[in-house]
Amino acid sequence: MNNVEVLLRLIDEAFDRKSWHGANLRGSIRGLTALEAAWRAQPQRKNIHEMVLHCAYWKYTVRRRLCGEKRGSFPFKGSNWFLRPTADGPSTSQWNEDVQLLIATHKSLRSAIAAIKPSQLLLPAAGGSTKVIQLITGIASHDVYHAGQIQTIKRLFAESN
């Protein structure tokens, strides 16, 4: 395996491939309903649905930086956190669409990483001084971090009902 192949394996295990550490991001949301994804432990806390969009946004951002693209093509206005559910309440179709967005942004990120030459890994990514390898390892850590949060929220939801 070369370094890029190792990084691809890392992001895949953090997202949707079997790993030793337990639930990955995709596994942590598998089978959730829109109602479960919209539940908040406290009114000011983020919910699972918002975490899914947050993760999709950062996958998009890392891919954009790896490819040297400009901002502006994420499907929602704003950045980082996106309020879900909307004023209409939890929507199964909105939840499913946002999960599909997460999956699509992961695939797009994975393709961008696969196109990187090993010699580029220690170079700064477009738009900053952060090295390419740091962005890639960071986005994998980001997935695992939020998978853990989601697992905790799921337990709190189960205990509250």
Side-chain angles (χ1 to χ4, degrees):
M1 271 189 173
N2 68 37
N3 290 341
V4 173
E5 292 169 334
V6 170
L7 292 169
L8 287 168
R9 184 173 178 159
L10 176 69
I11 68 158
D12 286 344
E13 286 182 11
F15 184 68
D16 66 354
R17 296 290 189 273
K18 185 175 177 167
S19 58
W20 68 268
H21 57 73
N24 54 40
L25 184 58
R26 182 73 178 99
S28 72
I29 62 171
R30 189 168 284 113
L32 286 180
T33 67
L35 182 65
E36 291 167 318
W39 182 81
R40 295 177 194 280
Q42 294 181 358
Q44 73 279 14
R45 299 288 181 196
K46 304 293 184 205
N47 63 33
I48 293 170
H49 196 153
E50 291 165 344
M51 288 181 192
V52 163
L53 280 181
H54 169 77
C55 290
Y57 175 79
W58 282 104
K59 286 176 181 290
Y60 149 81
T61 299
V62 170
R63 183 200 51 78
R64 183 182 55 73
R65 291 204 47 211
L66 293 176
C67 296
E69 298 170 354
K70 293 185 180 188
R71 294 179 183 187
S73 60
F74 194 69
F76 303 106
K77 288 189 178 199
S79 62
N80 205 15
W81 292 102
F82 304 88
L83 185 62
R84 288 291 191 269
T86 58
D88 298 333
S91 160
T92 298
S93 63
Q94 184 179 60
W95 168 240
N96 291 336
E97 287 170 17
D98 290 346
V99 168
Q100 290 307 309
L101 175 63
L102 175 66
I103 294 167
T105 57
H106 180 78
K107 287 180 182 176
S108 179
L109 171 63
R110 192 182 194 291
S111 294
I113 294 168
I116 292 171
K117 294 180 177 109
S119 60
Q120 296 172 293
L121 291 173
L122 297 178
L123 298 176
S129 60
T130 305
K131 292 182 170 96
V132 168
I133 194 168
Q134 291 173 297
L135 286 178
I136 298 168
T137 58
I139 199 65
S141 297
H142 190 252
D143 278 1
V144 173
Y145 172 79
H146 286 296
Q149 282 187 312
I150 290 167
Q151 292 297 93
T152 300
I153 293 170
K154 287 167 39 178
R155 283 197 186 121
L156 291 171
F157 176 81
E159 291 171 5
S160 74
N161 290 307

